[in-house]
Amino acid sequence: MRIVIATSNAGKLRDFAAAAAVYGVDIAALAHFKSLPEAVEDGATFEANARKKSELYSRYAPGELVLADDSGLAVDALGGAPGVYSARYAAMEAETVTAGEDVDAANNALLLCKLADVADAERTGRFVCVLSLAVDGREVASFRGEAKGVILHEARGGGGFGYDPLFYFPALGKSFAELTAEEKAAVSHRGAALRKMLEWTRSESP
Ligand code: IMP
């Protein structure tokens, strides 16, 4: 089986390809991805946004199984925010973003600010990843993975990206930014969704 990924992110492509190889699944990049129109990510859920992307991009690779993903952080004390707005959380409250600050730092600063008065026991949340597979403009399956954790009071660790330094994973006693790539793949929302998808490919293979 072969899956074409709708991403321009070399890191994601590498991660997916390494995990998929174990299942005998070939992973390819969608040709000319950067020059294709961007999907409008205005869905209310991760599922809706992942589906919009897979259905749009599968039209550019006729007959191929095309994979798209959507992910983010949902914090319980914030009613699930930043959720589908995780990538642009601080940008939506522009006054909190100072010139020259990077997007991840601004998002993390806003999250800490919103949780300033929230007690430790209430600082629970989860990373969510949804993978959607589509063929010729129609979704054929989708898979959700989650990782539960606690939002720290300050950043810990130098690895990862996004909200990783603030996301404490109790089972390993570390923040996601303190995990090796292998550890993160084993426990993360993305790893969980990916394994579900690969199990599906196994059941669909002749
Ligand atoms: P996207 O699905 O690649 O668009 O990611 C959405 C946003 O969610 C990212 O920009 C990050 O802020 C956040 N996010 C998603 N997955 C992770 C993760 O594994 N670690 C840290 N932040 C993440």
Side-chain angles (χ1 to χ4, degrees):
M1 188 176 281
R2 176 177 132 106
I3 293 177
V4 173
I5 303 197
T7 183
S8 59
N9 183 324
K12 272 189 191 173
L13 192 61
R14 242 191 338 264
D15 285 1
F16 282 127
V22 179
Y23 286 74
V25 174
D26 284 334
I27 297 283
L30 180 59
H32 313 298
F33 179 73
K34 279 191 174 149
S35 60
L36 300 180
E38 267 187 51
V40 183
E41 294 184 42
D42 58 359
T45 60
F46 296 110
E47 278 78 4
N49 283 335
R51 178 177 186 159
K52 275 171 186 274
K53 289 186 257 189
S54 68
E55 292 192 337
L56 170 68
Y57 293 120
S58 63
R59 297 198 183 96
Y60 295 91
E64 299 270 19
L65 202 48
V66 173
L67 171 69
D69 70 324
D70 197 43
S71 59
L73 176 68
V75 177
D76 297 323
L78 302 177
V84 292
Y85 304 108
S86 292
R88 44 202 155 116
Y89 192 34
M92 291 167 63
E93 298 200 19
E95 73 272 16
T96 66
V97 185
T98 53
E101 205 173 10
D102 75 56
V103 172
D104 287 344
N107 285 339
N108 284 334
L110 178 59
L111 181 62
L112 285 180
C113 181
K114 296 269 186 195
L115 292 177
D117 298 326
V118 177
D120 285 4
E122 320 276 288
R123 295 172 77 95
T124 50
R126 67 195 68 202
F127 275 125
V128 179
C129 173
V130 172
L131 300 177
S132 170
L133 285 173
V135 179
D136 296 331
R138 286 187 53 187
E139 184 179 69
V140 292
S142 91
F143 312 89
R144 169 181 271 242
E146 295 190 353
K148 288 185 186 169
V150 175
I151 312 304
L152 294 164
H153 290 273
E154 58 187 33
R156 255 177 78 165
F161 72 102
Y163 300 95
D164 278 345
L166 291 182
F167 189 82
Y168 181 75
F169 190 67
L172 293 181
K174 293 179 185 173
S175 81
F176 262 22
E178 294 175 314
L179 302 183
T180 62
E182 291 73 26
E183 282 175 324
K184 189 172 169 190
V187 299
S188 76
H189 49 312
R190 198 163 288 106
L194 189 57
R195 283 188 292 278
K196 281 190 191 171
M197 184 191 81
L198 289 166
E199 289 298 334
W200 177 86
T201 62
R202 190 171 267 175
S203 67
E204 290 291 304
S205 290

